[in-house]
């Protein structure tokens, strides 16, 4: 398919010139290799569609892991002026505050690798995974659930699911202000009641990884990372509660777009002016879901710590299981940015994109002020993931954002066809990786070749100056949703 | 004969294309496709149906809301659609009893978590042999 014209700016940046109803240009971060898969793909049109929305500040941005989403592309970043712009649930996605968290340990590979199968089994018992996974030990009352939505990780810490210092190492300290449970439907509450502390399915995972390579020793030290160290990587979101909130507000925004006479190139881009009641209600509900997601990852952290303590018969102090950081990659946030010399309050939509603030940013915890924000980019289950650190250029050209993962190249259906007749568990074991899952189909959909090589993706943000490589992590054990 | 529904190759999500001689068949086969996306196997049949009476602006949005209700019922009550008894169907109104079986890991295998039924490329079109519909699920 012949797609729209793309102009090369440099080896890692491409421009989609403003055309037709676009209010601004599109900017795409990719190298020649990744461009082969992007050119002619529908996701380029989606970047252009986002550029048509009112009040957009700067370009409609696409990260190197971009792929076709619904409405907004996955891997898209767009900022909207707080007075003239809009907010769109489709610009956040169904899994509100889907994100990743990295937990470091004092353990080294040589101690853990011989016992990895047992450790993965212990974690699999502690953390429900798979379609519709539920917890029977943490079924929230309505009042508790509303507290989770308002307080996020603070609720978890107050209820014994973590330590006060955990809050310091989570984006927005694990609590988005402005969350209002009264903007959340009964249906959402019902779907969220027994899913806190569960992994879910799809590409969500809990991995035991080893730090295989360090690229930046100083920053790695600041993050508490060293070669040969065992870390835990968790990827999950707001579960059924977030899906339902997105679903509810898409209906609200379809009506709002008509009411405020916003032309939509695609219904899934439905939105409302940020100054409208509809937008404020959505942001209050979305923040509540974001708090639920932070809290979900916090509970999984708690149960992971417990599983490690029991398995290794060691104290929390011996294990040193501290959070390195926790970042969202499906979210809309009100932030201050300088665009073309002008200070602006904008609503930054990151859908499949990670916040990547550089050193000295006021929102960063004191511990990371001198180095910058940790960013985690998971790859596929058979290869590797990366730890990066936010760079100043991310603020200049991408509203403090970078990529979020490898990005699929194969549909789930194709991946299942490609893995037919193969024993994926055995193949992974041959590569030194133990995989555990409730669903055989789920594992087949997640085979390595279904994803781009995350090294290519990370290479672009590294050389493009959005975030710098700090460490490479390799999986030893994987729990797949 | 053409199969009554087929899976669409969509990189991030799961899509279905449904064929029917009339709108009624579109609803029946779209529901069957949703079930097949969620699980395989069959469990204990429920004695009471899920009763749905829905209005919408168009047949495609009616189909979307109908599938959403079934998905919500599965998410919260574990009921899976087995058979539809459509009592009334117009472009913008459906009344149906959805007979279900109860999800039970002894009989069912869970396949895909469907987060939502989306508006993305949602369509119902009249074609020569009847109707053709397309729905994308977010997974």
């Amino acid at each position: 398919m012949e797609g729209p014209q793309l102009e090369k700016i440099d080896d890692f940046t491409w421009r989609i010139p403003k055309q037709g109803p676009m209010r601004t240009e599109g900017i795409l971060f990719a190298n020649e290799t990744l461009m082969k898969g992007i050119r002619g793909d529908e996701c380029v049109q989606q970047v252009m569609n986002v550029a048509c929305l009112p009040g957009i500040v700067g370009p409609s941005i696409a990260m190197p892991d971009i792929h076709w989403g619904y409405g907004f592309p996955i891997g898209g970043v767009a900022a909207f002026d707080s007075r003239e712009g809009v907010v769109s649930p489709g610009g956040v996605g169904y899994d509100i505050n889907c994100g990743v968290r990295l937990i470091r340990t004092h353990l080294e590979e040589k101690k853990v690798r011989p016992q990895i199968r047992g450790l993965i089994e212990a974690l699999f018992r502690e953390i429900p995974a798979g379609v519709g996974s539920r917890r029977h030990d943490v079924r929230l009352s309505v009042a508790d659930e509303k507290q989770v939505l308002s307080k996020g990780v603070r609720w978890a810490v107050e209820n014994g699911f973590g330590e006060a210092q955990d809050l310091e190492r989570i984006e927005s300290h694990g609590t988005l202000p402005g969350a209002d449970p009264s903007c959340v439907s009964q249906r959402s509450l019902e779907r969220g009641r027994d899913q806190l502390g569960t992994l879910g399915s799809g590409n969500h995972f809990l991995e035991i990884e080893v730090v295989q390579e360090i690229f930046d020793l100083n920053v790695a030290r600041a993050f508490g990372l060293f070669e040969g160290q065992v870390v835990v990587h968790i990827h999950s979101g707001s579960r059924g509660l977030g899906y339902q909130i997105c679903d509810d507000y898409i209906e609200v925004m379809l009506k709002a777009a008509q009411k405020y006479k916003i032309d939509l190139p695609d219904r899934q881009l439905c939105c409302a002016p940020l100054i409208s009641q509809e937008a404020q209600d959505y942001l209050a509900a979305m923040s509540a879901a974001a708090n639920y997601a932070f809290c979900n990852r916090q509970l999984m952290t708690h149960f992971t710590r417990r599983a490690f303590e029991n398995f290794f018969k060691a104290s929390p102090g011996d294990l040193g299981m501290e959070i390195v950081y926790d970042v969202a990659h499906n979210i809309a946030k009100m932030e201050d940015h300088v665009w073309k010399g002008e200070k602006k309050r904008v609503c930054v939509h990151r859908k499949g994109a990670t916040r990547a603030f550089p050193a000295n940013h006021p929102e960063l915890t004191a511990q990371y002020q001198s180095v910058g924000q940790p960013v985690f980019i998971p790859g596929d289950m058979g290869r590797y993931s990366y730890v990066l650190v936010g760079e100043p250029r991310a603020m200049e050209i991408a509203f403090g954002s970078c990529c979020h993962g490898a990005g699929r190249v194969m549909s789930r259906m194709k991946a299942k066809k490609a893995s037919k007749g193969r024993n994926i568990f055995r193949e992974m074991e041959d590569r030194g990786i133990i995989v555990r899952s409730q669903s055989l189909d789920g594992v087949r959909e997640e085979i390595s070749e279904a994803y781009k090589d995350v090294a290519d993706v990370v290479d672009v943000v590294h050389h493009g100056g959005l975030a710098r490589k700090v460490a490479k992590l390799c999986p030893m054990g994987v729990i797949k949703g | 004969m053409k199969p009554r529904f087929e899976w669409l190759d969509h990189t991030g999500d799961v899509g279905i294309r449904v064929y029917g001689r009339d709108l009624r068949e579109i609803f029946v086969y779209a529901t069957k496709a949703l079930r097949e996306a969620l699980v395989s196997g069959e469990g204990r049949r429920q004695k009471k149906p899920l009763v749905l009476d829905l209005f919408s602006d168009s047949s495609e949005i009616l189909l979307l809301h109908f599938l959403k209700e079934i998905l919500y019922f599965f998410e919260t009550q574990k009921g899976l659609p087995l058979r539809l008894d459509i009592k009334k169907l117009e472009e913008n109104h459906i009344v149906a009893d959805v007979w279900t079986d109860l999800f039970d890991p002894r009989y069912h295998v869970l396949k895909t978590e469907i987060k939502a039924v989306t508006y993305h490329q949602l369509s119902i079109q009249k074609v020569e042999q009847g109707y053709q519909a397309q729905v994308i699920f977010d997974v």
Side-chain angles (χ1 to χ4, degrees):
Chain A
M1 184 179 107
E2 191 68 24
Q5 188 200 349
L6 288 156
E7 294 171 1
K8 187 171 179 175
I9 299 175
D10 58 37
D11 286 348
F12 304 100
T13 321
W14 303 74
R15 176 187 292 119
I16 309 168
K18 188 176 150 187
Q19 53 203 276
M22 287 168 74
R23 293 166 194 257
T24 183
E25 63 185 11
I27 290 288
L28 216 151
F29 296 104
N31 59 18
E32 288 283 0
T33 314
L34 294 169
M35 281 308 290
K36 282 180 196 149
I38 294 170
R39 260 193 213 98
D41 190 274
E42 200 140 348
C43 63
V44 176
Q45 183 60 49
Q46 293 188 319
V47 177
M48 295 166 69
N49 289 347
V50 172
C52 300
L53 295 176
I56 187 162
V57 177
S60 167
I61 299 165
M63 291 297 160
D65 47 341
I66 185 175
H67 54 280
W68 187 21
Y70 29 84
F72 284 64
I74 319 273
V77 177
F80 295 89
D81 185 89
S82 62
R83 285 160 302 177
E84 285 151 25
V86 292
V87 65
S88 172
V92 173
Y94 283 94
D95 196 357
I96 296 166
N97 187 6
C98 185
V100 280
R101 169 178 290 211
L102 192 73
I103 304 159
R104 61 184 180 230
T105 74
H106 287 165
L107 299 167
E108 293 189 32
E109 181 185 5
K110 56 182 182 287
K111 177 174 170 77
V112 176
R113 195 176 281 285
Q115 310 179 72
I116 189 68
R117 190 183 296 277
L119 181 60
I120 283 291
E121 285 302 325
L123 285 163
F124 196 66
R125 282 194 296 274
E126 281 281 359
I127 295 166
V131 184
S133 41
R134 289 171 168 79
R135 285 205 88 90
H136 301 292
D137 52 350
V138 190
R139 192 175 160 84
L140 303 169
S141 67
V142 176
D144 280 340
E145 192 178 9
K146 289 184 176 175
Q147 290 279 305
V148 169
L149 300 184
S150 302
K151 292 181 170 180
V153 180
R154 267 196 294 128
W155 176 88
V157 170
E158 285 166 13
N159 285 274
F161 296 110
E163 306 297 329
Q165 62 264 31
D166 290 345
L167 296 166
E168 295 299 312
R169 303 196 197 103
I170 302 172
E171 179 174 333
S172 301
H173 303 291
T175 310
L176 287 196
D180 183 355
S182 72
C183 294
V184 174
S185 69
Q186 282 305 315
R187 283 193 165 200
S188 308
L189 293 171
E190 180 60 35
R191 284 179 77 172
R193 196 146 307 145
D194 54 1
Q195 292 191 333
L196 198 67
T198 66
L199 196 59
S201 71
N203 59 1
H204 293 158
F205 63 76
L206 185 151
E207 289 187 1
I208 307 292
E209 299 168 345
V210 57
V211 179
Q212 198 198 41
E213 195 177 347
I214 299 277
F215 305 102
D216 188 321
L217 197 59
N218 276 340
V219 180
R221 266 198 204 120
F223 293 171
L225 300 175
F226 60 87
E227 220 172 282
Q229 179 185 23
V230 171
V231 293
V232 183
H233 205 167
I234 297 174
H235 176 215
S236 186
S238 49
R239 312 286 291 108
L241 177 124
Y243 315 158
Q244 187 67 43
I245 287 176
C246 179
D247 211 32
D248 292 343
Y249 278 93
I250 279 176
E251 298 293 336
V252 171
M253 295 301 185
L254 280 168
K255 291 195 181 89
Q258 271 187 339
K259 180 175 154 188
Y260 299 109
K261 299 186 173 45
I262 300 169
D263 281 334
L264 298 176
D266 176 344
R267 273 184 296 203
Q268 288 278 143
L269 291 171
C270 59
C271 54
L274 277 158
I275 51 170
S276 68
Q277 190 59 50
E278 290 91 338
Q280 292 305 309
D281 288 350
Y282 169 66
L283 284 172
M286 186 220 67
S287 300
N291 288 345
Y292 183 98
F294 283 132
C295 206
N296 184 33
R297 296 194 285 274
Q298 180 65 29
L299 260 70
M300 283 189 274
T301 303
H302 168 79
F303 292 111
T304 298
R305 285 168 169 159
R306 192 165 81 178
F308 268 69
E309 284 161 29
N310 291 338
F311 186 79
F312 291 107
K313 297 186 176 47
S315 69
D318 290 339
L319 292 168
M321 296 185 73
E322 291 181 356
I323 299 168
V324 178
Y325 209 61
D326 177 309
V327 276
H329 55 222
N330 276 4
I331 205 154
K333 290 176 93 176
M334 299 306 301
E335 292 174 0
D336 293 317
H337 286 271
V338 177
W339 191 258
K340 290 193 174 161
E342 200 185 336
K343 193 175 173 190
K344 282 197 173 274
R345 182 93 179 140
V346 287
C347 181
V348 184
H349 292 61
R350 297 188 182 97
K351 182 184 185 182
T354 312
R355 199 187 74 173
F357 284 170
N360 303 317
H361 192 286
E363 280 205 28
L364 292 188
T365 184
Q367 192 184 351
Y368 297 142
Q369 274 291 327
S370 63
V371 286
Q373 180 210 300
V375 171
F376 311 122
I377 310 298
D380 60 82
M381 65 179 176
R383 286 185 269 194
Y384 29 73
S385 298
Y386 285 87
V387 178
L388 293 88
V389 64
E391 289 263 68
R393 196 155 183 260
M395 296 302 282
E396 291 158 25
I397 59 172
F399 296 96
S401 316
C402 81
C403 60
H404 88 305
R408 288 192 85 91
V409 281
M410 231 183 236
S411 69
R412 287 172 162 82
M413 202 160 79
K414 270 199 188 128
K416 272 193 264 192
K417 266 188 200 151
S419 59
K420 203 170 180 186
R422 287 162 52 184
N423 186 338
I424 303 299
F425 294 95
R426 174 65 56 84
E427 284 180 24
M428 294 288 289
E429 213 173 314
D430 290 344
R431 291 152 83 166
I433 305 162
I434 302 297
V435 179
R436 193 77 164 82
S437 175
Q438 292 282 13
S439 159
L440 177 62
D441 270 9
V443 171
R444 288 174 54 199
E445 287 172 2
E446 291 294 311
I447 51 172
S448 287
E449 56 265 43
Y451 285 88
K452 295 176 195 172
D453 185 345
V454 74
D456 284 335
V457 173
V458 164
D459 206 43
V460 171
V461 296
H462 177 84
H463 292 291
L466 300 177
R468 198 165 76 249
K469 285 198 280 189
V470 175
K472 184 177 175 182
L473 314 172
C474 288
M476 289 193 287
V478 178
I479 294 177
K480 268 287 173 197
Chain B
M1 194 179 115
K2 239 183 191 172
R4 298 306 176 89
F5 68 86
E6 61 192 8
W7 304 108
L8 296 175
D9 214 18
H10 190 293
T11 318
D13 300 318
V14 169
I16 50 167
R17 185 168 295 135
V18 186
Y19 305 95
R21 282 171 295 193
D22 51 27
L23 263 187
R24 186 176 287 265
E25 285 196 354
I26 290 289
F27 276 73
V28 167
Y29 293 115
T31 304
K32 190 172 157 58
L34 174 60
R35 181 190 172 99
E36 285 195 17
L38 289 167
V39 299
S40 59
E42 193 176 318
R44 197 156 39 92
R45 291 176 183 228
Q46 299 278 76
K47 290 200 176 97
K48 278 188 186 166
L50 164 70
V51 180
L52 294 176
D53 184 348
L54 304 171
F55 288 89
S56 271
D57 294 339
S58 65
S59 57
E60 59 190 27
I61 299 178
L62 189 66
L63 176 64
L64 173 128
H65 284 145
F66 187 77
L67 296 175
K68 272 189 190 185
E69 289 298 321
I70 291 174
L71 184 61
Y72 177 72
F73 190 68
F74 170 60
E75 281 283 326
T76 53
Q77 308 293 319
K78 295 187 176 183
L80 286 155
L82 263 179
R83 184 171 65 79
L84 294 190
D85 183 3
I86 298 175
K87 298 182 185 303
K88 183 176 182 180
L89 181 59
E90 293 164 355
E91 289 283 317
N92 61 351
H93 184 203
I94 185 167
V95 182
D97 287 349
V98 185
W99 293 91
T100 60
D101 58 334
L102 196 63
F103 174 77
D104 185 333
R106 288 176 299 175
Y107 308 120
H108 294 97
V109 176
L110 280 167
K111 289 159 80 178
T112 311
E113 181 167 63
I114 294 179
K115 292 176 188 160
V117 187
T118 77
Y119 279 93
H120 187 60
Q121 299 184 332
L122 173 71
S123 68
I124 294 186
Q125 290 172 321
K126 208 157 182 348
V127 291
E128 210 177 307
Q129 302 86 354
Y131 287 85
Q132 181 181 308
Q134 182 172 295
V135 186
I136 309 277
F137 302 125
D138 186 67
V139 298

